[in-house]
Amino acid sequence: MRGRLVTLGVLSTFLLGACSGSGAEAEPKETVTVTATATATVTAKPEDITSQKGVSLKEAQEAAEAAGYAVSSHNANKGDARPSGSWTVCFETIGYGTVDYGAVEEGALCPKKDGDPLAWPTVPDVVGSTYAKAVKALTKTGLDEENIGVDSAYKDVSLSAADVESDADDHTVCFQSPAAGKEAKPDTEATLTLVEGGSCPAGKGTYQDKKNDPNHTPPPAPRRDSGSGGSGSSGGSGGGSDNAAGWNGQCELMSPAGNCYRAGQFCANKHVGMRTHDANGRIIHCKVRSDGQRWNYH
């Protein structure tokens, strides 16, 4: 019994000493206080912007960014081409603070729906129009007026752009290039083949005055009628001036198409009272008759 008491006493002394030593070596710890502050970020509502359809992508982007929008863009046609600032806005999707523009190449037609194939306007038919109306129609489709040239329908008639533009309503389009229905891209070059007035030749590359054509063969000189003429220098009844004695084979007055006039044809006001040779060398006169102004033998 005593042995047990001794053992318990030693054990108690050891435990008390351990507890006492531990308490002596412990140091007090600092207290740290952490304060968390929550900050809420509020984004201002962007200004309302008007529709930018039909303007250049560059203008649309600048307007949207100035109103506080984040801007993106895409090709509104089928394909991988990236839009540039000169493209035209056809579609727009506006969100809260964002806008996306669908655009097509400059001068192209807006598709019916986003992603359709690229399409261009077509060249109108301007044959028969005055130069002024033709230029207006071509530029309306997107052609640059600087790219519209002029040419003469006749090889022997010179025609300059300055001449035509000074009297644009008095020149008629006889032929055009490109032909009607072709694509009209902004860089397309066009040529209008013209005549002054309204009478066009059947084809390009002809001569207004056939005598200027190197391949032109003048009509043969008429045979002189010597069977009924008198012996005097004035000739007889069959050898008068209407038989064109001494005719040089050329007609003094020509039709707008470059032909000699014929008896029975209508004649212009400016030719009334005048005379010329017909293709056979006979003299014809422009006179006023009951059926109008016509060329006559007498």
Side-chain angles (χ1 to χ4, degrees):
M1 183 65 173
R2 184 180 176 182
R4 291 180 179 178
L5 292 173
V6 172
T7 303
L8 291 171
V10 173
L11 179 60
S12 299
T13 301
F14 173 78
L15 291 173
L16 288 172
C19 291
S20 174
S22 173
E25 295 176 0
E27 297 180 359
K29 296 183 179 179
E30 296 180 1
T31 301
V32 179
T33 302
V34 179
T35 302
T37 302
T39 303
T41 302
V42 179
T43 303
K45 181 181 178 182
E47 300 176 11
D48 292 334
I49 56 173
T50 58
S51 174
Q52 300 297 306
K53 292 180 181 180
V55 306
S56 71
L57 181 58
K58 181 176 183 296
E59 293 178 37
Q61 289 173 329
E62 291 175 348
E65 289 171 353
Y69 287 79
V71 184
S72 61
S73 61
H74 68 277
N75 184 354
N77 288 129
K78 185 177 182 180
D80 299 325
R82 295 177 62 84
S84 70
S86 64
W87 286 31
T88 304
V89 174
C90 294
F91 303 97
E92 55 190 2
T93 303
I94 301 175
Y96 188 88
T98 64
V99 59
D100 179 67
Y101 292 122
V104 298
E105 290 185 43
E106 182 182 7
L109 297 173
C110 281
K112 291 183 178 180
K113 62 180 181 179
D114 203 339
D116 278 352
L118 179 65
W120 297 96
T122 56
V123 175
D125 184 359
V126 296
V127 172
S129 302
T130 64
Y131 174 77
K133 291 182 178 179
V135 169
K136 184 177 181 180
L138 291 173
T139 54
K140 188 176 180 180
T141 63
L143 270 66
D144 189 337
E145 188 170 351
E146 295 295 323
N147 290 335
I148 302 175
V150 299
D151 191 17
S152 174
Y154 293 108
K155 282 188 174 182
D156 56 340
V157 177
S158 61
L159 203 62
S160 69
D163 294 335
V164 174
E165 290 170 3
S166 65
D167 197 3
D169 289 322
D170 195 39
H171 288 81
T172 302
V173 179
C174 297
F175 311 98
Q176 70 176 86
S177 176
K182 297 291 185 180
E183 289 184 343
K185 297 182 179 180
D187 59 349
T188 298
E189 294 185 353
T191 301
L192 301 177
T193 304
L194 312 165
V195 294
E196 185 174 3
S199 181
C200 290
K204 291 191 292 184
T206 59
Y207 292 83
Q208 187 176 41
D209 186 345
K210 291 186 178 181
K211 295 190 293 292
N212 293 328
D213 185 352
N215 299 318
H216 173 65
T217 302
R223 293 182 303 170
R224 298 180 63 182
D225 185 1
S226 59
S228 58
S231 58
S233 60
S234 61
S237 61
S241 61
D242 280 356
N243 287 329
W247 181 51
N248 63 2
Q250 295 183 349
C251 301
E252 295 83 359
L253 300 176
M254 306 282 285
S255 71
N259 301 314
C260 294
Y261 287 110
R262 300 190 308 271
Q265 283 186 310
F266 285 102
C267 55
N269 291 334
K270 62 182 179 180
H271 291 152
V272 173
M274 300 178 67
R275 70 178 192 173
T276 184
H277 286 87
D278 65 8
N280 294 320
R282 295 188 64 182
I283 293 178
I284 52 177
H285 306 262
C286 179
K287 296 182 178 181
V288 178
R289 307 190 323 195
S290 60
D291 56 350
Q293 298 165 189
R294 293 181 182 271
W295 290 104
N296 306 270
Y297 283 124
H298 301 287

